């Protein structure tokens, strides 16, 4: 496994693979890798001839300086895991290597067609501009055949799919296939996240109520006369009733448009909950 820190070396290696007619699987990450990432990487390694992983805590997608500063950075441990998974190339640049000073200072402009106006986008203004900025740059450098994204960040996945399939960048990225990968959960049901590392044992036990409530809501949605609005409110009330948890939002939206829906068909419920100081997200698909 080779660790690359410059854009020029990254394009040199990926271009060499493409020249040899090899398929490239790519998993972009911000490091602090866990079994959720490992599931994406295993798939990328098994479905492609070469596997690239990036580890970059992207400053332009953080709208909270403390969150950026506290984001776990565990490069050495991550590299060991990636080596054991059979990854060929790891790209771990510095912010200066990725962006010019102007790019760091000015928000990246992109037409989201409204996909950024709800949920995470509403709560974290500018977040998805940074995500599209970094992912589009990484795609330009790696030119992957397939790129793998977890469904835990459902809105991010929807926006990347929009970027590749329907936006002004669609032609540029027409050869890239986005592969959505299911949420990986602990045995308790807690969705795996790099942020879980910041939870105490007590907080981790408390946070289990989030997924338990989402799963219970699948049954509530089947009750006679159940409406989307009722189920949405019941989820919020149930999680907020747990000591130590506070819902930021729970929205049941259409899986394609991400707009609020009144029917359960093609709906997904997306939640963000503060567990102490740690912001956790999760989601559940209805029928
Ligand atoms: O999901 C993440 O870890 C990040 O948003 C991503 C896609 C690596 C872009 O920085």
């Amino acid at each position: 496994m080779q660790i690359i820190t410059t854009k020029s070396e990254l394009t040199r290696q990926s271009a060499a693979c493409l020249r040899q007619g090899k398929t490239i699987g790519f998993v972009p990450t911000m490091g602090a890798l866990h079994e959720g990432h490992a599931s994406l990487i295993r798939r990328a390694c098994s479905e492609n001839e070469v596997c690239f992983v990036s580890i970059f805590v992207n400053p332009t997608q953080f709208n909270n300086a403390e969150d950026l500063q506290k984001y776990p950075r565990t490069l050495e441990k991550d590299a060991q895991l990636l080596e054991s998974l059979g990854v060929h190339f790891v790209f771990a640049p510095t912010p200066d290597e990725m962006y010019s000073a102007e790019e760091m200072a000015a928000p990246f402009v992109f037409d989201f067609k409204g996909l950024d106006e709800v949920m995470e986008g509403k709560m974290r203004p500018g977040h998805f501009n940074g995500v599209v900025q970094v992912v589009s740059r990484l795609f330009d450098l790696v030119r992957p055949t397939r790129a793998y994204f977890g469904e835990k960040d459902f809105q991010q996945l929807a926006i990347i799919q929009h970027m590749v399939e329907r936006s002004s960048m669609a032609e540029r990225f027409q050869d890239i296939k986005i592969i959505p990968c299911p949420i990986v959960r602990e045995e308790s049901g807690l969705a795996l996240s790099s942020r879980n590392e910041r939870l105490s044992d007590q907080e981790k036990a408390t946070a289990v109520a989030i997924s338990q409530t989402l799963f219970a809501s699948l049954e509530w949605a089947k009750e006679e006369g159940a409406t989307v609005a009722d189920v949405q409110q019941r989820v919020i009330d149930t999680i907020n009733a747990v000591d130590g948890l506070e819902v930021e939002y729970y929205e049941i939206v259409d899986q394609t448009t991400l707009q609020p829906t009144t029917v359960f068909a093609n709906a997904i419920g997306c939640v963000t909950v503060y567990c102490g100081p740690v912001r956790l997200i999760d989601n559940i698909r209805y029928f």
Side-chain angles (χ1 to χ4, degrees):
M1 185 178 84
Q2 186 180 336
I3 298 186
I4 299 173
T5 55
T6 63
K7 292 189 297 231
S8 53
E9 177 63 8
L10 178 63
T11 41
R12 204 178 70 76
Q13 293 293 357
S14 78
C17 295
L18 293 172
R19 261 198 316 276
Q20 291 161 29
K22 291 183 174 157
T23 53
I24 296 181
F26 176 50
V27 185
T29 81
M30 297 206 299
L33 303 178
H34 49 67
E35 191 44 43
H37 297 108
S39 71
L40 270 59
I41 293 162
R42 272 189 210 102
R43 204 164 154 192
C45 288
S46 74
E47 294 178 352
N48 302 277
E49 286 157 288
V50 191
C51 180
F52 283 68
V53 172
S54 63
I55 296 185
F56 178 58
V57 182
N58 174 32
T60 67
Q61 73 186 73
F62 283 80
N63 54 341
N64 177 323
E66 194 187 339
D67 199 21
L68 171 61
Q69 191 223 324
K70 288 203 170 147
Y71 203 85
R73 288 160 172 89
T74 54
L75 184 58
E76 225 170 276
K77 192 169 148 221
D78 291 345
Q80 280 169 15
L81 174 69
L82 295 176
E83 177 114 58
S84 75
L85 291 170
V87 169
H88 301 90
F89 296 99
V90 180
F91 180 50
T94 61
D96 288 350
E97 174 65 19
M98 281 300 272
Y99 300 123
S100 66
E102 295 75 49
E103 286 173 326
M104 285 286 274
F108 182 79
V109 179
F110 180 71
D111 183 1
F112 291 91
K113 298 274 182 250
L115 291 173
D116 65 329
E117 283 163 16
V118 292
M119 305 188 292
E120 285 302 283
K122 194 156 110 193
M123 295 300 161
R124 304 175 68 191
H127 166 66
F128 287 119
N129 300 73
V131 170
V132 170
Q133 180 178 34
V134 75
V135 173
S136 58
R137 177 142 310 166
L138 290 165
F139 280 4
D140 280 330
L141 297 167
V142 179
R143 305 303 311 175
T145 319
R146 298 182 189 85
Y148 297 77
F149 289 84
E151 289 182 337
K152 186 167 79 66
D153 296 297
F154 189 82
Q155 191 171 4
Q156 168 172 282
L157 170 63
I159 286 174
I160 299 297
Q161 275 169 329
H162 165 73
M163 177 183 101
V164 166
E165 288 162 18
R166 298 180 296 279
S167 80
S168 55
M169 298 184 196
E171 210 180 312
R172 182 164 133 209
F173 296 139
Q174 62 184 336
D175 296 335
I176 302 175
K177 192 167 166 38
I178 303 300
I179 313 286
C181 301
I183 297 178
V184 180
R185 297 181 181 280
E186 287 191 359
E187 218 170 292
S188 66
L190 180 66
L192 294 192
S193 163
S194 304
R195 288 195 165 85
N196 293 357
E197 285 199 14
R198 289 171 53 200
L199 297 172
S200 66
D201 288 347
Q202 172 64 53
E203 285 169 340
K204 236 178 166 188
T206 305
V208 169
I210 302 168
S211 55
Q212 278 173 350
T213 307
L214 293 186
F215 285 119
S217 78
L218 291 180
E219 299 308 313
W220 303 340
K222 289 182 200 151
E223 287 172 10
E224 212 183 312
T227 67
V228 166
D230 291 342
V231 171
Q232 194 165 286
Q233 195 55 48
R234 195 165 161 190
V235 166
I236 295 171
D237 294 343
T238 307
I239 298 178
N240 279 340
V242 177
D243 229 17
L245 296 183
E246 198 186 331
V247 176
E248 186 177 59
Y249 65 79
Y250 181 58
E251 290 197 31
I252 299 180
V253 298
D254 180 85
Q255 286 179 37
T256 317
T257 64
L258 301 186
Q259 295 309 304
T261 179
T262 51
V263 291
F264 288 109
N266 199 43
I268 184 163
C270 298
V271 76
T272 294
V273 180
Y274 276 95
C275 180
V278 184
R279 192 172 181 276
L280 300 173
I281 69 173
D282 200 347
N283 63 62
I284 195 99
R285 278 200 169 89
Y286 292 93
F287 18 94

